[in-house]
Amino acid sequence: MYDFKPATPLPAAELYRELVAAAEALTAGEPDAVANMANVAALLWEFLPDLNWAGFYRVGSAKNGAGDELVLGPFVGRPACIRIPFGTGVCGTAAKSGATQLVEDVHAFPGHIACDAASQSELVVPVLRDSAVIAVIDLDSPSPARFTAADATGIEALAAMLSDRI
Ligand code: SME
């Protein structure tokens, strides 16, 4: 049994240090990207309160051959849209720009894709390998302005650690 959930509420910096350490331990020596993303999605769900979706979209080939798009990966939450073109919605914007998207009010974000009507705020962090976006980590919350700069910094540290593990 793995029991990685923090015992007590922690300040953000410490919480993310523990989360990244747990993710590093769970994925160490495992070459299967899907297994690693599945366990990290479960860890995000265990560690972070007030989420309604936590998981991955990976960069993949569009079905019609028209370049790359995001394809749904392992996650915890309600079933979600499967394919997102680069530049569309919060995830597609993060993938296209390579920049973290911290969205306090998803309804105010142009092109936001509502996978779960409960979502009010969102944090999307690209995972880069050799300067190219290979995936994004997506967190959704039912609370407005749930995510802070500390969350963005913490998830960026997780994304950097996962770069060659997913
Ligand atoms: N809201 C996202 C789509 C993915 S779901 O939230 C799981 C977006 O606008 O890109």
Side-chain angles (χ1 to χ4, degrees):
M1 186 188 91
Y2 296 113
D3 193 4
F4 283 115
K5 197 181 169 88
T8 51
L10 297 171
E14 211 171 313
L15 178 71
Y16 281 104
R17 253 196 311 277
E18 286 204 10
L19 171 56
V20 174
E24 188 154 32
L26 263 177
T27 58
E30 175 48 64
D32 191 285
V34 171
N36 288 340
M37 286 187 284
N39 259 339
V40 172
L43 272 184
L44 289 164
W45 193 259
E46 288 283 312
F47 269 71
L48 304 177
D50 201 21
L51 302 182
N52 63 317
W53 205 91
F56 292 83
Y57 279 88
R58 283 191 291 173
V59 174
S61 300
K63 285 194 289 187
N64 63 5
D68 287 341
E69 61 188 11
L70 290 172
V71 185
L72 183 64
F75 68 94
V76 181
R78 301 187 75 181
C81 49
I82 299 167
R83 289 175 179 271
I84 301 177
F86 274 37
T88 300
V90 186
C91 291
T93 300
K96 187 176 180 183
S97 63
T100 294
Q101 304 294 308
L102 178 55
V103 181
E104 294 192 344
D105 174 6
V106 293
H107 305 294
F109 191 94
H112 165 252
I113 302 162
C115 292
D116 181 343
S119 296
Q120 300 293 331
S121 57
E122 185 161 1
L123 173 63
V124 182
V125 173
V127 181
L128 303 170
R129 188 188 299 153
D130 300 330
S131 308
V133 177
I134 58 163
V136 301
I137 300 171
D138 182 17
L139 302 177
D140 285 44
S141 172
S143 300
R146 153 69 180 82
F147 304 104
T148 64
D151 293 298
T153 302
I155 299 297
E156 284 166 357
L158 178 67
M161 190 281 292
L162 290 174
S163 171
D164 59 0
R165 297 186 182 201
I166 65 169

